[in-house]
Amino acid sequence: MRRPVQGIPAELTEAMPKLGILDAHHPRAGFKEEFAGLLHDPVTRLDAIATLCETYLRDVDRQTLLARLGLAGYTTAGGLASLPEDENTGTGTADHTRATGPAPRRDTTRSVIVRDAALVRKVKELEGDRCQICGTALRHLNRPYSQAAHIRGLGSPHHGPDELQNLLCLCANCHVLFDGLEIHVDPDGLVRGTRDTRIPHPLRRAPSHPIDEAHLAYHRNLCRLNAGEPAADRLDFPQQTPGGLT
């Protein structure tokens, strides 16, 4: 149902209001206070963005649009991340001749999120340093090597919690794919490709490793947003409920 613009007679809002109508009636714009308050919640905000894109922007390049609107953080599960090496905004040169001496350096200042190292060790211990997605057990310098991946990113705009229920133990490859929204975990606990038809397989999970379904649903919503799927083919995700999977 079309809602009238506040301050403009309903009969004048059937089409896009012309500039003269806006000048004459001085309508109010923006969200009502209660709606603006709801959008402060990261989960609600993501759902609103995904719904708007599915409803009105189905044929638009989502990633380009989000970047232009200052919402680039929604294009990865980790939030605002460093640019790839070939897109770094530092000074460069078109001269590709061989350089001599060490590579140049520059001073930078940045703010980083402090993660709980005990949680990182815990999730790796519970899963035996084996990737929960592909089952790979890597070794580096004669030691087991795995990575603790947050399901809902800690950084802006996701603001996920640093808790065991929000962590997976992954190999480096699957961590990149998961953060890049190329794979997701469906409501049945199956790992699926977001844009391809790879054969789904169960997410490995130790019995003592709790995972909050709300975080997995948030990640699926991000995948849905970036995949640009029509509403009829949207990735299925359940309503959020308190607690998590055990």
Side-chain angles (χ1 to χ4, degrees):
M1 178 181 296
R2 182 184 297 273
R3 296 175 62 91
V5 178
Q6 288 184 302
I8 296 181
E11 63 271 14
L12 297 179
T13 62
E14 292 303 316
M16 182 66 71
K18 296 182 178 179
L19 186 59
I21 295 176
L22 297 177
D23 288 340
H25 294 276
H26 303 290
R28 293 189 296 262
F31 294 108
K32 291 185 177 180
E33 185 175 352
E34 59 268 33
F35 295 136
L38 287 174
L39 292 176
H40 281 294
D41 173 54
V43 176
T44 304
R45 186 166 58 244
L46 171 60
D47 196 41
I49 292 172
T51 300
L52 286 171
C53 285
E54 285 184 342
T55 305
Y56 301 106
L57 305 166
R58 296 174 64 179
D59 299 324
V60 174
D61 182 335
R62 306 275 178 84
Q63 294 187 354
T64 300
L65 173 66
L66 293 172
R68 291 183 62 184
L69 294 176
L71 300 174
Y74 287 103
T75 60
T76 71
L80 295 173
S82 300
L83 291 172
E85 291 182 3
D86 58 353
E87 296 181 14
N88 195 286
T89 55
T91 57
T93 175
D95 185 3
H96 300 293
T97 58
R98 183 174 180 177
T100 59
R105 299 288 189 270
R106 64 180 178 184
D107 294 330
T108 62
T109 300
R110 61 175 183 160
S111 173
V112 296
I113 296 171
V114 179
R115 300 176 57 178
D116 188 335
L119 288 176
V120 171
R121 292 192 297 268
K122 183 66 174 177
V123 72
K124 294 181 179 184
E125 175 188 337
L126 289 173
E127 299 296 344
D129 283 295
R130 186 177 295 274
C131 180
Q132 290 182 252
I133 289 177
C134 70
T136 299
L138 297 173
R139 294 189 68 83
H140 177 64
L141 299 178
N142 202 32
R143 296 179 180 177
Y145 178 80
S146 60
Q147 297 180 352
H150 284 91
I151 302 169
R152 177 178 158 198
L154 302 185
S156 176
H158 312 308
H159 301 296
D162 192 19
E163 61 183 17
L164 185 60
Q165 293 86 345
N166 191 31
L167 283 174
L168 296 176
C169 178
L170 303 179
C171 69
N173 282 352
C174 289
H175 194 172
V176 169
L177 293 175
F178 191 83
D179 276 2
L181 308 176
E182 298 297 332
I183 53 179
H184 63 275
V185 182
D186 74 10
D188 295 322
L190 299 177
V191 179
R192 295 181 179 273
T194 300
R195 297 177 177 84
D196 57 36
T197 56
R198 68 181 66 197
I199 299 174
H201 63 276
L203 177 75
R204 297 178 66 257
R205 187 170 79 248
S208 54
H209 179 189
I211 300 176
D212 193 333
E213 169 59 30
H215 299 322
L216 292 174
Y218 184 92
H219 183 269
R220 285 195 296 275
N221 215 0
L222 278 175
C223 291
R224 184 186 104 215
L225 172 64
N226 283 273
E229 296 183 347
D233 300 323
R234 61 188 290 179
L235 299 173
D236 187 26
F237 67 101
Q239 294 295 322
Q240 294 190 36
T241 55
L245 301 177
T246 57

